């Protein structure tokens, strides 16, 4: 196994240039494996190259830094070596401009100060109160389609999370428009990872840009009402949020945050819940443990406080996120020369870290491919 040592700025004179771009014949299969077997791909590249290597993406090369030291070096970023905005822009810039995760520096801190006011404990309690009746109603309708013995988890959960997001975040019933808006959200999410980055009809990026226009139009129409009256939904909370310094969001910032938070909330929640369903189906003993705990703590729909008591369900969620993290690779751009594992990373280099690899390292996890929620007990 490879040893990794983090070196912070200034860059030592002995630092080596980055390894050359992978030009092996098998690189042609990397994009396919990225979508079908990302865990196997990063493990293969780690074993082949060590902790630092550069691989081609469909539209630019990326230097991948592997292991827990790499995750700390890039995300904790003590020396301010990396920026999020220029790294995320090629992926989400057209459909999620103004996304909080693509901001840096003082602008990011100012936006977070205001945004945090919409996620206080009081606000979260209000969101849970809005969510629970809608969830109970939707889940009560989960029945297999005609001539089938099961429901399809991913599309069923995705519809649920979109419905809940509409209620909790927007506080508005769109009626017959709901299906069209849900389609717009799905299109914007799919555009973020579309292999063709130009909006050419009828490809994914074109559908995503069109979907964003629809969402902007709908949020713009609702803004005056949300500005006038404070309610429990997130849209209203953002309209009235104010930092301790008196900062408030502009109309455009509210719309940008709403579209991004709606996407982030329902998409990653759908991924995580579907993974939990899959793992619980494979391990029915954990189904029974979670069921027994749930009914013991709250025979009816749980409230905010009782949700925090579902300890074993929390272990299952953490283990699902360890095995199948919704975001398997995270990009950054180097904004100054720095060094990692003895290699010089020049300013302007697109860098990626792969949490899915760290989540399966035998140095960190006993039997890492085994589903074992109790490792979080």
């Amino acid at each position: 196994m490879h040893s990794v040592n983090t070196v912070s700025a200034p860059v030592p004179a002995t630092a080596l240039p980055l390894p050359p771009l992978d030009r092996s014949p098998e690189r042609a299969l990397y994009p396919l494996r990225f979508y079908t077997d990302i865990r196997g791909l990063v493990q293969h590249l780690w074993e082949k190259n060590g902790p630092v290597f550069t691989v081609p993406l469909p539209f630019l090369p990326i230097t991948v830094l592997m292991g827990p030291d790499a995750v700390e070096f890039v995300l904790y970023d003590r020396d301010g070596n990396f920026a999020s905005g220029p790294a995320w822009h090629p992926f989400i810039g057209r459909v999620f401009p103004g996304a909080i995760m693509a901001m840096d520096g003082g602008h990011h801190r100012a936006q977070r100060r205001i945004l945090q006011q919409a996620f206080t404990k009081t606000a979260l309690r209000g969101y849970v109160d809005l969510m629970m009746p809608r969830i109970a109603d939707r889940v009560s309708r989960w029945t297999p389609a005609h001539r089938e013995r099961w429901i399809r988890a991913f599309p069923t959960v995705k519809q649920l999370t979109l419905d809940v997001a509409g209620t909790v975040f927007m506080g508005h019933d769109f009626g017959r428009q709901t299906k069209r808006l849900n389609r717009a959200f799905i299109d914007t999410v799919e555009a973020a990872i579309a292999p063709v980055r130009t909006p050419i009809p009828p490809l994914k990026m074109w559908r995503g840009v069109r979907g964003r226009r629809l969402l902007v139009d709908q949020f713009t129409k609702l803004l005056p009402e949300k500005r006038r009256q404070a309610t429990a939904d997130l849209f209203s909370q953002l309209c009235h949020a104010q930092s301790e310094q008196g900062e408030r969001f502009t109309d455009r910032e509210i719309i940008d945050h709403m579209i991004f938070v709606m996407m982030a909330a329902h998409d990653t929640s759908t991924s995580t819940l579907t993974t939990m369903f899959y793992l619980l189906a494979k391990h029915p003993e954990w189904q029974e443990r979670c069921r027994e705990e749930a009914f013991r703590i709250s025979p009816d729909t749980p409230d905010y406080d009782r949700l925090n008591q579902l300890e074993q369900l929390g272990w299952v969620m953490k283990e699902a996120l360890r095995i199948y993290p919704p975001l398997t690779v995270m990009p950054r751009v180097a904004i100054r020369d720095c060094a990692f594992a003895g290699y010089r990373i020049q300013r302007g280099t697109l860098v990626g870290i792969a949490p899915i690899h760290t989540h399966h390292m035998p140095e960190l996890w006993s039997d890492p491919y085994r589903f074992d929620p109790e490792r979080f007990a």
Side-chain angles (χ1 to χ4, degrees), residues 131-143:
M131 288 169 65
M132 287 308 177
R134 178 62 63 98
I135 293 173
D137 175 63
R138 290 297 184 268
V139 172
S140 70
R141 305 182 197 180
W142 284 4
T143 55

Side-chain angles (χ1 to χ4, degrees), residues 227 235 238-239 249-258:
R227 287 283 199 193
F235 197 176
L238 292 182
C239 287
F249 288 134
T250 65
D251 288 356
R252 181 55 186 264
E253 288 170 342
I254 291 170
I255 291 171
D256 286 343
H257 285 314
M258 279 298 300

Side-chain angles (χ1 to χ4, degrees), residues 292-312:
E292 192 277 330
E293 178 186 61
F295 281 105
R296 183 180 71 253
I297 291 173
S298 182
D300 302 314
T301 304
D303 58 17
Y304 180 88
D305 294 317
R306 287 179 176 175
L307 283 174
N308 288 326
Q309 298 173 31
L310 296 172
E311 186 178 40
Q312 294 185 79

Side-chain angles (χ1 to χ4, degrees), residues 188-226:
T188 56
V189 172
E190 291 182 348
I193 57 172
V196 178
R197 309 306 300 168
T198 304
I200 302 172
L203 301 181
K204 287 183 177 181
M205 180 57 73
W206 175 80
R207 295 200 300 269
V209 171
R210 183 185 59 175
R212 176 180 171 81
R213 283 199 297 266
L214 173 64
L215 296 172
V216 169
D217 181 62
Q218 291 296 324
F219 283 120
T220 301
K221 290 177 181 177
L222 288 174
L223 254 174
E225 173 192 340
K226 295 295 180 179

Side-chain angles (χ1 to χ4, degrees), residues 264-341:
H266 89 76
D267 195 62
T268 53
S269 296
T270 298
S271 174
T272 303
L273 288 169
T274 303
T275 298
M276 291 174 68
F277 284 8
Y278 170 70
L279 291 169
L280 288 172
K282 292 185 69 175
H283 301 275
E285 71 279 8
W286 274 97
Q287 277 193 58
E288 293 306 317
R289 287 180 64 165
C290 291
R291 186 198 309 274
E292 192 277 330
E293 178 186 61
F295 281 105
R296 183 180 71 253
I297 291 173
S298 182
D300 302 314
T301 304
D303 58 17
Y304 180 88
D305 294 317
R306 287 179 176 175
L307 283 174
N308 288 326
Q309 298 173 31
L310 296 172
E311 186 178 40
Q312 294 185 79
L313 191 61
W315 302 345
V316 169
M317 176 173 279
K318 290 176 181 177
E319 182 71 338
L321 290 169
R322 181 190 71 83
I323 298 175
Y324 300 109
L327 197 58
T328 55
V329 177
M330 300 179 188
R332 294 289 189 272
V333 166
I335 56 175
R336 57 184 289 183
D337 290 354
C338 56
F340 175 78

